[in-house]
Amino acid sequence: MRTVTKLAGFAVGLAAVFSATYGVGRVVDSAPVAESRHDDASPATDEHGGTADRFPGGLLVSERGYTLEPVDAPADEFAFRIAGPDGRPVTRYEVAHDKTMHLIVARRDLSGFRHVHPDLAPDGTWRVDTPLTGPGQWRAFADFTPTGGEPLTLGVDVTVPGELTERPLPAPATSTTVDGYTVTVTGTPQPGRTSSLTLTVSRDGQPVTDLEPYLGAYGHLVALRRGDLAYLHVHPDGTPGDGRTRPGPAVTFLAEVPSAGSYRLYLDFQHGGRVHTAEFTVVAGATPTGAAPTPSGPAPTGGADHGTPGHGHN
Ligand SMILES: [Cu+2]
C-alpha cells in the first residue's frame, strides 16, 4: 500500500494505523506518491475498495487539475481564484450546503477558526472581508464543487506578518462554552470507521430545542487534524424537515477520521439569528470512557475554553 511522502514524517507513532485508515477525502491520481517507509504490517482494510490511495482533503494546493491561487488584495480583504485544468479561473460552481464556495481558515496552531462565504466576480476571483484575524501562519481551505466536477477541498498557507504568540492546543474536553451557550460532545471518533458524535446545546442550564437551520442543517462540523491540518467536513445525520431530525438540543454527526491523534472540532450552529462556533479538542482512537489521552506530543496546557478573540462566522 502506498502512502504520501509528505505525511511520512507526521507522527511516526501513528504510522502503523495510518496505512489502514484512509477513509476520508478524494481519489488522487496526479499527486506525487512514493512507497511508504513503514512496514505495512497492518492488513489492507480499506473499506472503499482498496485500489486507490485516499487521503484527507485540504492537504494539497492543487488536485485533479484544480489549483487554489491567492490573489493580491487590500489588507482587509482576502481574495483567491481556482485555476481549472485549462489554467483559466473557474467561474462556474455547484451549490453545496447552500453555497458555491466555503472558505475555512485556521492558524497552524488551530486557533482563529473562521468559516466564511466569499463572493464570486465574473472573472473568477473570490473576495471576502478578510477572515485572517491576526498575525500568524494560516491555512486557508477552499471547499467547493466545480460545475461538471467532483467536490474538492484545496488548501494553501497564508502568512499574516506581525508578532505571533503561538497558542497551545487546548486540552481534550467534553464541554465548552461560546456566546453564553454550553455545548457538550459525546462519542469518540475511531480511525477507519464511521463513528457517531453527538453535540448537545444548552443555555442557562436549559436544552436549546429551537436551533435554526444553517446552510441546510442544524449544525456544521469541521475537524482539523493536529500536525498537518488535514481537513474533514463532517455531515450531520439528518436534515431539517426530514420528519425525524429535531432542532436540538442534540445534533448528531457521522465522522470518519483518517488516523488516531488529536483533532480540533469546530461546530457551527445557528440560534437567535446568529451563527455560533463551539470548539473542542478530541482524541481519535482514545478509549471512549474518557481515559487519559494517549497521542504523541507534550500534554497541552491551559483550559478547555478556548476564547479565541475574533473567531466567528458570517
Ligand atoms: Cu460554508
Side-chain angles (χ1 to χ4, degrees):
M1 185 168 181
R2 296 180 300 169
T3 188
V4 177
T5 304
K6 67 188 283 192
L7 293 179
F10 167 69
V12 170
L14 302 179
V17 294
F18 209 125
S19 67
T21 55
Y22 293 91
V24 179
R26 328 284 184 222
V27 177
V28 175
D29 296 317
S30 57
V33 293
E35 291 303 313
S36 132
R37 285 184 292 168
H38 65 78
D39 286 330
D40 196 357
S42 48
T45 55
D46 183 357
E47 63 192 30
H48 298 272
T51 56
D53 289 305
R54 291 169 179 269
F55 54 91
L59 295 174
L60 300 179
V61 72
S62 184
E63 187 173 350
R64 279 187 270 134
Y66 295 90
T67 303
L68 171 54
E69 299 179 339
V71 170
D72 284 341
D76 61 352
E77 187 177 278
F78 185 75
F80 61 98
R81 288 188 291 254
I82 305 295
D86 61 0
R88 304 237 272 270
V90 176
T91 57
R92 296 173 61 227
Y93 294 84
E94 301 292 334
V95 173
H97 300 294
D98 279 1
K99 299 288 181 181
T100 49
M101 177 64 70
H102 302 265
L103 178 72
I104 284 85
V105 300
R107 284 193 191 84
R108 280 279 175 190
D109 65 5
L110 297 174
S111 70
F113 175 90
R114 291 197 68 206
H115 173 171
V116 298
H117 302 107
D119 295 318
L120 180 62
D123 70 352
T125 303
W126 292 95
R127 297 179 191 280
V128 66
D129 290 345
T130 187
L132 308 175
T133 50
Q137 297 288 342
W138 293 81
R139 188 75 174 166
F141 303 95
D143 184 338
F144 63 95
T145 304
T147 295
E150 296 293 310
L152 195 55
T153 302
L154 302 175
V156 69
D157 283 341
V158 183
T159 301
V160 177
E163 190 85 14
L164 170 65
T165 304
E166 185 140 348
R167 297 165 187 267
L169 184 68
T174 56
S175 181
T176 191
T177 58
V178 58
D179 305 333
Y181 297 85
T182 298
V183 183
T184 60
V185 60
T186 56
T188 300
Q190 300 297 327
R193 61 182 170 87
T194 301
S195 309
S196 174
L197 279 180
T198 297
L199 292 110
T200 304
V201 183
S202 64
R203 186 163 66 167
D204 300 328
Q206 298 299 313
V208 173
T209 57
D210 56 349
L211 291 175
E212 297 154 5
Y214 172 62
L215 302 176
Y218 289 125
H220 286 268
L221 188 64
V222 166
L224 298 178
R225 181 168 59 185
R226 182 188 201 182
D228 65 359
L229 276 68
Y231 169 94
L232 313 175
H233 190 150
V234 185
H235 301 287
D237 179 23
T239 54
D242 66 2
R244 66 180 179 90
T245 303
R246 295 190 187 167
V251 185
T252 296
F253 295 86
L254 300 176
E256 187 175 348
V257 297
S259 67
S262 294
Y263 292 77
R264 191 72 170 159
L265 303 185
Y266 308 88
L267 171 71
D268 290 333
F269 64 95
Q270 184 173 314
H271 189 251
R274 285 195 54 213
V275 175
H276 313 278
T277 304
E279 302 188 15
F280 296 88
T281 299
V282 300
V283 181
T287 52
T289 54
T294 56
S296 60
T301 56
D305 279 351
H306 196 31
T308 305
H311 96 245
H313 201 292
N314 67 9

